[in-house]
Amino acid sequence: MKTKLLLIGTSAFALSVAGASATEYRPFVGVAMGVQGIIYDDAIEDSAPYYLPKDFIAFGIEGGMRFGSYDKIYNGGFSVNVNTSDSEKVSYKFTNETYAKLKTTTLTTTYDNFIRVSGNKAKRIDLVLGAGVGAMNYHLDSQIATAEDETAWSTALAFKAGLDFELTKNLTLSANMRMFVPTREHYNIAASYVAGGAIKYIF
């Protein structure tokens, strides 16, 4: 299932790029930072004997391609993002002893729609809306001798909404929120989101 979704997503991006009547193709790379939140499955949150962390600091890198004429209202594109969080404590509810440390990683590819909202053709400000697929995991690093480390992966749907602020023709600041929804059953995490910003260099 995971492989089929990734192949379908990749094919869609390739067809979109091939069929676009764009006159400019501009690759980009960037770094990102933000606040990550986790929404746990109700079953695990209610039954677990420990407190599950919900807030993390997220770091990421991204790259991709933007295509379309600079003076047009609409541009298309795609991006590949890799995000990882810091490690946060999972502690027992009654003793406050640390059971483990939890961190997450996401790898996603999205098709992005850039819609100019600034009205000024000298510098673009774009509304960015994107959707795609990828994979996510959580890793429990056990802090007690009787428990083992655990890493669980899931295919995930990815959604993005935000704004791109062009500083120069080659430098853009982004502010966005991205949501990741795992498709695996009994995964313990119902959804995750990252709210933050990025700085991108556009070639």
Side-chain angles (χ1 to χ4, degrees):
M1 181 66 178
K2 175 179 175 181
T3 303
K4 288 182 180 179
L5 283 173
L6 290 174
L7 287 174
I8 291 171
T10 303
S11 299
F13 301 141
L15 288 173
S16 298
V17 173
S21 58
T23 57
E24 299 177 26
Y25 296 87
R26 305 188 68 195
F28 62 85
V29 294
V31 292
M33 183 176 179
V35 177
Q36 179 176 354
I38 290 181
I39 302 170
Y40 294 97
D41 184 86
D42 289 340
I44 186 68
E45 193 162 26
D46 293 340
S47 62
Y50 31 72
Y51 292 111
L52 296 167
K54 296 182 178 180
D55 299 311
F56 301 78
I57 301 297
F59 308 91
I61 57 174
E62 61 181 273
M65 179 80 73
R66 178 168 172 161
F67 47 84
S69 298
Y70 182 81
D71 60 350
K72 298 296 184 182
I73 291 177
Y74 174 81
N75 282 188
F78 68 91
S79 58
V80 178
N81 296 78
V82 180
N83 280 95
T84 188
S85 74
D86 65 341
S87 296
E88 295 292 338
K89 291 181 181 179
V90 179
S91 54
Y92 286 105
K93 292 180 178 178
F94 300 107
T95 65
N96 206 34
E97 177 188 2
T98 299
Y99 166 72
K101 290 186 177 180
L102 177 70
K103 67 179 298 183
T104 68
T105 302
T106 58
L107 304 90
T108 58
T109 303
T110 57
Y111 180 85
D112 300 327
N113 301 277
F114 299 88
I115 304 166
R116 182 196 291 273
V117 295
S118 69
N120 178 1
K121 292 187 177 182
K123 289 186 179 180
R124 293 186 67 113
I125 298 177
D126 291 294
L127 172 66
V128 184
L129 301 173
V133 295
M136 62 187 294
N137 78 11
Y138 64 82
H139 175 73
L140 278 172
D141 183 11
S142 175
Q143 301 295 295
I144 60 175
T146 56
E148 296 183 353
D149 294 349
E150 177 186 353
T151 301
W153 283 90
S154 174
T155 302
L157 303 177
F159 305 94
K160 176 196 298 183
L163 291 170
D164 270 10
F165 302 89
E166 186 181 78
L167 302 180
T168 70
K169 212 61 179 299
N170 298 102
L171 201 61
T172 296
L173 288 179
S174 297
N176 59 54
M177 176 173 282
R178 288 175 293 131
M179 175 75 73
F180 313 107
V181 181
T183 60
R184 177 178 170 179
E185 294 184 0
H186 312 297
Y187 182 63
N188 296 330
I189 293 177
S192 177
Y193 61 88
V194 175
I199 184 166
K200 299 187 292 187
Y201 184 84
I202 304 176
F203 296 91

